[in-house]
Amino acid sequence: MLYTNVSPGPDWKKRQCFATVEPPPAAKKDAASPAVRSTLPKVSSERQKERDAMRRKVIEDELTAESKLLEEARVAYANGAPPALPEEFLNPQKYAARIARLRESVGLHERNVEALKKEFARM
């Protein structure tokens, strides 16, 4: 038996290791087809408005919490010059590492606030 990706000669039989599997016919249908859409549950306009209001409230709450965390991170970062802790006087690498962590934290919270604002604007 020989395994190769190059044909060894005309007298060798070619055998396929992996069979290609076709998806069943039902899986090929478009998920947005009318038959599928008719089986989806209907939501009343009042219920949808309730859901939208709940979504708006959740996003507002998340935005408020994330804004508060951003302000706390900015205070801790102190524009890149927070006061050194006692153990950081002897080890400047610890101070640099803490500043890097604080900078990353500020960046993360800024990105989260921006994402929440974009999500809020889409509503």
Side-chain angles (χ1 to χ4, degrees), residues 59-72 109 113 116:
I59 291 176
E60 285 175 351
D61 292 345
E62 287 180 6
L63 183 58
T64 302
E66 196 63 38
S67 297
K68 182 179 177 184
L69 291 172
L70 174 60
E71 289 305 313
E72 290 173 2
H109 293 299
V113 166
L116 287 167

Side-chain angles (χ1 to χ4, degrees), residues 4-122:
T4 180
N5 63 348
V6 179
S7 177
D11 55 336
W12 287 76
K13 290 183 182 178
K14 180 179 178 183
R15 295 192 180 173
Q16 190 160 350
C17 296
F18 304 104
T20 57
V21 178
E22 294 229 2
K28 289 184 179 181
K29 288 184 180 178
D30 185 5
S33 68
V36 173
R37 268 188 260 134
S38 65
T39 62
L40 295 175
K42 302 286 184 195
V43 178
S44 68
S45 63
E46 291 176 17
R47 180 72 176 144
Q48 187 62 46
K49 286 178 184 178
E50 289 174 8
R51 290 179 180 179
D52 292 342
M54 179 61 77
R55 181 172 179 242
R56 178 180 294 274
K57 178 161 179 19
V58 167
I59 291 176
E60 285 175 351
D61 292 345
E62 287 180 6
L63 183 58
T64 302
E66 196 63 38
S67 297
K68 182 179 177 184
L69 291 172
L70 174 60
E71 289 305 313
E72 290 173 2
R74 284 182 176 162
V75 167
Y77 183 57
N79 291 326
L85 300 175
E87 65 269 7
E88 294 172 343
F89 284 115
L90 300 175
N91 192 346
Q93 289 88 7
K94 281 187 177 183
Y95 182 69
R98 185 167 65 100
I99 289 176
R101 282 192 313 272
L102 291 171
R103 184 180 325 121
E104 288 174 11
S105 176
V106 168
L108 173 71
H109 293 299
E110 285 175 344
R111 289 188 303 273
N112 288 346
V113 166
E114 288 301 315
L116 287 167
K117 285 181 180 179
K118 284 180 185 177
E119 187 66 28
F120 195 73
R122 282 188 236 159

